[in-house]
Amino acid sequence: MTVDAATTRDYIALDERWSTHNYHPLPVVLAEGEGAWMTDVDGRRYLDFLAGYSALNFGHRHPGLVAAAKAQLDRLTLTSRAFHHDQFGLFCRELAELTGTEMVLPANSGAEAVESAVKIARKWAYQVKGVPDGAAEIVVAGANFHGRTTTIISFSTDADARNDFGPFTPGFKTVPYGDIDALRSAITGNSAAVLLEPIQGEAGVVVPPKGYLAEVRQICDDTDTLFIADEVQSGLARTGAMLALDHEGIRADLYTLGKALGGGIMPVSAVVGRADVLGRLKPGEHGSTFGGNPLACAVGRAVVKLLATGEFQERSRELGAYLHSRLGELDGVAEVRGRGLWAGVQIAEGGPTGRQASEALMARGVLCKETQEMTLRVAPPLVITREEIDFGVDAIAEVLTAP
Ligand SMILES: *Cc1c(COP(=O)(O)O)cnc(C)c1O
């Protein structure tokens, strides 16, 4: 294929004219993907160092996932939940068994899973904990990211996510992430739940202090408060374990899952957890036309099958250690945070901004994106090889020292 700059420009002009401007993508127009690589409309190849914010943990078009989707496309794609279908119960059982949980509520987007968890926690608080009607509170962390719905942005601390979108949903209390005393003080008799990301992705891949999550678990136990772990980004092998909380040896009462659960093919999310909590939902009280559809369940089952081997968790652990050691040695880096094949690279003062670094990386054939002003988020597909990591890290080394 020949390089045709006008083609890229034309596609971008279409986006800018006809779509809302709620993103600021890098000026690359992608047309194909395979494994850890993507190809643009001009035939240029790029190493994927972002993996769709962890939606592509298994890489682009993983053969097992594509085969499962194609097989299901030829059988049955949608039923609504008005009827049973033959993929639904199997998906729920397999996902519950994989995550060591008791019950599954399937949904589509990550935000929908978080919304569902909020609703269920409130219902549990009223029906089981005895919180007075309308008084349930959920404790959340500053700098959180849980999605973009009106209720979820109501407890965001990001001005861009909130400004001019009010009025906001009440019932949330915000405490600084990682501050166990603040969290303890925020809990009252009306607390339904604590909702946290085990590692804060959008905030810059922020890992809480050692022991923090276990103390959160203890406080929740002591006060009869649910612990909801939002593992939409951190879960499903990204950190080198099935769930990020597994590293701490603790369990949440509810987990929200998404992103990688759809295998990079379609949106699939879920709330998984305790049956005595999820089981509070009765017919008519909650639902979703597309949640748990046959195609989503077939793809989700194929994802579960890949995760059950442990191969991707192991790759993330081993290659993640390599990624972190290489990033940690670079000039122009103030700090590297994260776990497994997931790193927030804090660019040192005086260096390029995250956006400038991302653009310079693109020119070198590596697609990565900033989060916050001065942080590069590195989260390659877990199928990446050591040599490909070297290719990406070498490019980062160049753009941070000679942008
Ligand atoms: C991406 C993300 C969400 C929202 O998922 P969507 O599918 O974009 O709605 C929620 N929580 C966390 C931790 C995420 O990273």
Side-chain angles (χ1 to χ4, degrees):
M1 230 186 267
T2 56
V3 174
D4 178 3
T7 312
T8 290
R9 265 207 303 278
D10 291 345
Y11 283 116
I12 291 174
L14 276 175
D15 294 6
E16 295 198 334
R17 167 61 186 83
W18 294 102
S19 87
T20 55
H21 294 178
N22 51 323
Y23 279 93
H24 182 30
L26 292 175
V28 59
V29 181
L30 298 164
E32 285 172 45
E34 185 175 10
W37 292 85
M38 292 186 280
T39 307
D40 74 8
V41 289
D42 298 323
R44 280 182 292 256
R45 282 175 34 94
Y46 302 87
L47 180 65
D48 187 351
F49 242 29
L50 181 66
Y53 303 98
S54 285
L56 288 153
N57 279 3
F58 313 101
H60 295 266
R61 297 188 303 112
H62 185 285
L65 300 179
V66 169
K70 284 184 171 167
Q72 191 61 37
L73 277 173
D74 286 334
R75 292 183 62 237
L76 181 70
T77 54
L78 195 70
T79 56
S80 84
R81 294 288 309 280
F83 315 110
H84 296 272
H85 65 77
D86 62 8
Q87 298 298 304
F88 186 81
L90 291 169
F91 169 63
C92 293
R93 181 178 78 185
E94 288 159 10
L95 182 62
E97 286 175 353
L98 180 83
T99 54
T101 55
E102 298 170 339
M103 197 174 264
V104 174
L105 172 70
N108 304 282
S109 70
E112 190 185 358
V114 173
E115 284 275 346
S116 305
V118 164
K119 287 173 68 179
I120 293 161
R122 286 175 170 179
K123 191 173 275 292
W124 172 87
Y126 299 127
Q127 295 186 346
V128 180
K129 186 166 171 174
V131 171
D133 191 33
E137 294 168 347
I138 294 180
V139 179
V140 298
N144 68 70
F145 183 85
H146 298 289
R148 300 293 198 167
T149 64
T150 40
T151 286
I152 291 172
I153 60 155
S154 296
F155 55 89
S156 171
T157 56
D158 174 2
D160 287 341
R162 286 170 56 96
N163 284 348
D164 298 330
F165 292 133
F168 299 110
T169 308
F172 299 93
K173 265 192 187 172
T174 308
V175 295
Y177 189 65
D179 182 340
I180 198 67
D181 294 327
L183 186 130
R184 190 181 288 111
S185 311
I187 302 270
T188 71
N190 290 342
S191 298
V194 173
L195 167 63
L196 291 175
E197 299 156 84
I199 293 177
Q200 288 190 321
E202 301 299 310
V205 195
V206 175
V207 182
K210 210 169 165 43
Y212 173 71
L213 295 165
E215 287 196 75
V216 172
R217 175 71 272 176
Q218 189 60 51
I219 289 169
C220 287
D221 285 344
D222 293 346
T223 59
D224 194 22
T225 305
L226 299 176
F227 184 0
I228 307 171
D230 182 353
E231 297 243 19
V232 167
Q233 194 164 160
S234 60
L236 309 183
R238 173 51 61 188
T239 66
M242 181 66 69
L243 299 161
L245 277 194
D246 295 347
H247 292 294
E248 318 297 323
I250 54 166
R251 308 287 307 162
D253 301 297
L254 299 177
Y255 296 90
T256 52
L257 303 174
K259 293 200 166 99
L261 191 56
I265 296 180
M266 57 193 304
V268 184
S269 71
V271 185
V272 301
R274 278 166 49 183
D276 65 321
V277 179
L278 286 163
R280 306 306 309 176
L281 286 178
K282 297 290 177 289
E285 293 177 349
H286 188 69
S288 164
T289 303
F290 291 98
N293 70 71
L295 185 55
C297 288
V299 170
R301 291 183 68 199
V303 165
V304 168
K305 208 167 147 199
L306 289 180
L307 287 168
T309 66
E311 177 198 336
F312 292 92
Q313 293 86 320
E314 194 180 314
R315 289 190 76 83
S316 182
R317 268 197 308 278
E318 288 180 4
L319 293 170
Y322 181 66
L323 173 73
H324 279 267
S325 77
R326 280 229 50 203
L327 289 171
E329 288 167 359
L330 298 188
D331 289 335
V333 171
E335 188 187 20
V336 182
R337 299 178 293 266
R339 190 155 207 171
L341 279 171
W342 196 18
V345 180
Q346 188 72 38
I347 301 167
E349 235 176 283
T353 63
R355 174 75 191 190
Q356 289 167 338
S358 299
E359 289 175 357
L361 283 170
M362 187 190 107
R364 286 168 171 78
V366 177
L367 291 181
C368 190
K369 199 76 175 14
E370 80 278 7
T371 174
Q372 312 300 317
E373 179 74 12
M374 294 297 282
T375 307
L376 276 179
R377 178 197 336 228
V378 176
L382 308 180
V383 296
I384 198 167
T385 65
R386 188 175 280 253
E387 292 70 32
E388 289 164 341
I389 289 173
D390 282 332
F391 177 81
V393 174
D394 290 347
I396 292 176
E398 282 173 36
V399 307
L400 293 189
T401 49

